[in-house]
Amino acid sequence: MGQIVLTLSKTTVAEMNQAYMAMQKPAPAGAVFAAKTDTSTITAYQSGKVLFQGEQPEVEASKWGSVEEAEIAPKKVKPKHGYEPDPSLFTSSHIGSDEAGTGDYFGPVTVAAAYVTDEQIELLREIGVKDSKNLTDSSIHSLAEKILALKIPYNLIVLHNPKYNELQAKKWTQGKIKTILHNHAINQLVKEIEPAKPTGILIDQFSQPSVYIRHLKSEGKRLTDDTYFITKAESHSIAVATASILARASFVDEMNKLSETVGIELPKGASEKVDRVAGSILRRSGPEELGQYAKMHFVNTKKAETYQ
Ligand code: MG
């Protein structure tokens, strides 16, 4: 299945709306219209972006604009392992998953999986869904709200610090913790969206797929069918970018709640500022209390002791 995106004037989009009147189908939220011909599905958005998808999207697209200059799917990159997705996955209905909080001393680990249909991809791009690393906390919040308003199916897991520390004490590496959380979030979502079946599942890669599979095996689980891994997946896949925003927004929320409980603004990351704040909590309430808010195996705990 191919895809072509043309950027057209409002007048042309209005003309198209008329021309495809007899072939229209229910448009996704936020779209001007959607239509289906023998060769392609056409979805037009407020911004003037028009998406042509199907067996021969060029048949209709070439009536309205220059297909040669149109945006086409990203070129295939050389595979690094056997689980690299075909780029066509990025424009198909798929699940993406990503996590937040793993590099932060304070706060939980949050993992989200989101299911995005091919028709929603452009719409999510329109509302500004992109790599959450380049977004501020407040824009993450408003984006997460917009995503929720679109009723995108998702699953979110929050692993709070006491449970995280317990798993660490059981010698679970952070890689294993992330693996089990991703796997759980994805499988729950797969069940929730039934009978819809995603073309594939894309995980923002944090370890070699063989390591991920080994962690699953150690807990008697297996890799879900059609699962793919790629690094920086959020820059290729809107589903991963969506999951990444939901995970990040949840992490920010949890940090705000924890800060309120502790009565100190808990800094993100793992910097010296973090050591100082951890030191003051240690001084005031001891390590058990600190374990309610922090990932105790981080080197920050040792450093915090020197601030006591
Ligand atoms: Mg990630």
Side-chain angles (χ1 to χ4, degrees), residues 275 279 282-283 300-308:
D275 303 338
L282 268 182
R283 206 160 49 232
N300 300 82
T301 305
K302 273 256 160 305
K303 290 189 189 159
E305 287 163 5
T306 66
Y307 282 98
Q308 279 197 85

Side-chain angles (χ1 to χ4, degrees), residues 97-100 102 133 178 182 203-206 230 232-234 240 244:
S97 71
D98 200 5
E99 78 283 334
T102 51
K133 286 178 194 77
K178 284 195 270 189
H182 273 261
I203 297 172
D204 184 34
Q205 186 181 328
F206 51 84
I230 189 174
K232 298 199 176 71
E234 66 281 352
V240 176
S244 167

